[in-house]
Amino acid sequence: MAFFTRHKRFWLIAPAVVYIGFFMGLPLVQMAYVSILERGVNGGVDWGSLSFESYISFIFERDLMDNLMVNTDYLQIFLRSFGLSGLTTILALLLGFPTAFYIAMQPQSRRNMFIFLVTIPFWTNILVRNYAWMLLLRNGGLIDNLLNAIGLDTGGLDILYTPYAVAIGLTYTYLPFMVLPIYASLEKLDHRLVEAAFDLGANKRKAMTRIILPLAMPGIIAGSILVFIPCLGAYVTPELLGGGKFMMIANLIGSQFGAARNWPFGAALGFVLLALVLIAMMVYSLKFKKLPEDAS
């Protein structure tokens, strides 16, 4: 009994460590191992041969003489995914901040109702929500018919299966992840600070930029991370709203494990994405860690 008492903290965290190690650590180790193997003759993995060809293939390809040549096709898909994820984050911030600010300014009795409304989309599977957007954005769909009804001749709403449709779908899907963290920051806002700013002669714009935005910055940073990173791994939305013509990282990885049957390359792409995200997060965290020190 004394042993368990002395190591009480260890036994408290042991289930979480075992769970994370088994369901996250082991799959990552297996993926790392698969990524340095060679593709089998008939697809899959050749478990007996080690090779870094999968990582080389990310930027290079071999010609008929087995010489390495630069191939930026996969790099372009990564850049496209990062760009679209950044655009989605910006759109979610532009829509999410006013929404969160409006909710935070409501009486306590009404805030819970608005938060409930924000979380309602989570009740429906993401597949169903994307099919609903397909019906809305398609040529002759609800939005197209409404625009024609009010006298705006669209000539056929050609949005579906374009990057615009993917951006709309991703923004809609991940918007609550931006609203909720910002609301959590604004909810704790001391309104006396805003009143003091007005008493000192500040207008609404200065009160927003000097008082409200800095206090909401933790929520903005958290919301941006919660939107940007899942967007990089989005699969369903680009597949449905992009019509298979707008490939992102997750679709590329899925095709390697599926139709191409090149598991080592798919695993290598996954680790390249993981490395890029970790590097970006480290730079991001170090930058914002230095901000308070610089301010002081």
Side-chain angles (χ1 to χ4, degrees):
M1 189 66 182
F3 173 80
F4 289 99
T5 304
R6 288 195 305 268
H7 299 84
K8 182 171 62 174
R9 182 175 299 179
F10 169 79
W11 292 111
L12 287 175
I13 66 173
V17 172
V18 172
Y19 181 87
I20 294 174
F22 186 79
F23 289 103
M24 293 184 63
L26 287 180
L28 284 175
V29 171
Q30 184 179 16
M31 276 188 60
Y33 179 59
V34 170
S35 69
I36 58 174
L37 296 176
E38 289 187 357
R39 180 178 184 270
V41 178
N42 298 317
V45 180
D46 183 358
W47 297 99
S49 56
L50 298 179
S51 172
F52 288 94
E53 187 67 27
S54 297
Y55 291 96
I56 296 174
S57 300
F58 177 63
I59 299 179
F60 300 96
E61 65 178 355
R62 296 188 181 276
D63 59 15
L64 296 177
M65 303 300 295
D66 204 32
N67 297 317
L68 290 177
M69 300 177 59
V70 176
N71 179 16
T72 60
D73 291 344
Y74 300 124
L75 186 60
Q76 289 176 8
I77 294 175
F78 270 66
L79 293 176
R80 180 194 306 155
S81 300
F82 273 84
L84 187 58
S85 299
L87 175 62
T88 302
T89 303
I90 294 173
L91 292 176
L93 178 59
L94 293 176
L95 295 173
F97 185 86
T99 303
F101 183 76
Y102 176 79
I103 296 174
M105 295 299 104
Q106 298 303 307
Q108 185 63 43
S109 58
R110 299 180 61 184
R111 293 181 188 177
N112 294 334
M113 181 191 69
F114 284 115
I115 293 298
F116 168 76
L117 294 176
V118 169
T119 58
I120 279 182
F122 292 128
W123 296 14
T124 308
N125 187 277
I126 188 174
L127 190 65
V128 176
R129 285 182 274 161
N130 279 279
Y131 272 116
W133 273 109
M134 292 177 68
L135 296 176
L136 291 173
L137 298 175
R138 68 184 178 89
N139 191 357
L142 180 61
I143 296 178
D144 193 16
N145 291 333
L146 287 176
L147 292 176
N148 289 325
I150 62 176
L152 297 176
D153 186 10
T154 61
L157 195 65
D158 296 325
I159 295 181
L160 190 61
Y161 306 139
T162 65
Y164 304 108
V166 177
I168 292 172
L170 290 175
T171 303
Y172 163 78
T173 300
Y174 297 109
L175 182 60
F177 292 102
M178 182 67 76
V179 173
L180 296 177
I182 296 177
Y183 166 76
S185 295
L186 293 175
E187 184 187 26
K188 298 177 288 187
L189 177 67
D190 189 349
H191 296 277
R192 292 175 298 180
L193 296 175
V194 181
E195 295 173 359
F198 287 137
D199 293 339
L200 293 173
N203 53 27
K204 292 182 178 180
R205 182 178 63 83
K206 286 188 176 180
M208 175 63 72
T209 56
R210 300 287 183 86
I211 304 297
I212 298 176
L213 279 178
L215 293 176
M217 192 56 64
I220 293 175
I221 295 173
S224 299
I225 293 173
L226 290 175
V227 172
F228 183 80
I229 293 179
C231 280
L232 287 176
Y235 179 84
V236 175
T237 300
E239 186 72 19
L240 294 180
L241 298 183
K245 298 183 295 184
F246 189 79
M247 182 172 288
M248 291 183 63
I249 297 174
N251 307 101
L252 176 61
I253 295 174
S255 67
Q256 298 303 316
F257 282 98
R261 290 183 55 79
N262 192 347
W263 293 9
F265 187 50
L269 290 173
F271 263 89
V272 170
L273 174 60
L274 180 61
L276 292 175
V277 170
L278 288 177
I279 293 172
M281 290 294 298
M282 289 175 60
V283 173
Y284 196 72
S285 60
L286 290 174
K287 178 181 177 181
F288 280 94
K289 183 179 180 181
K290 292 180 179 179
L291 287 179
E293 298 175 0
D294 297 339
S296 60

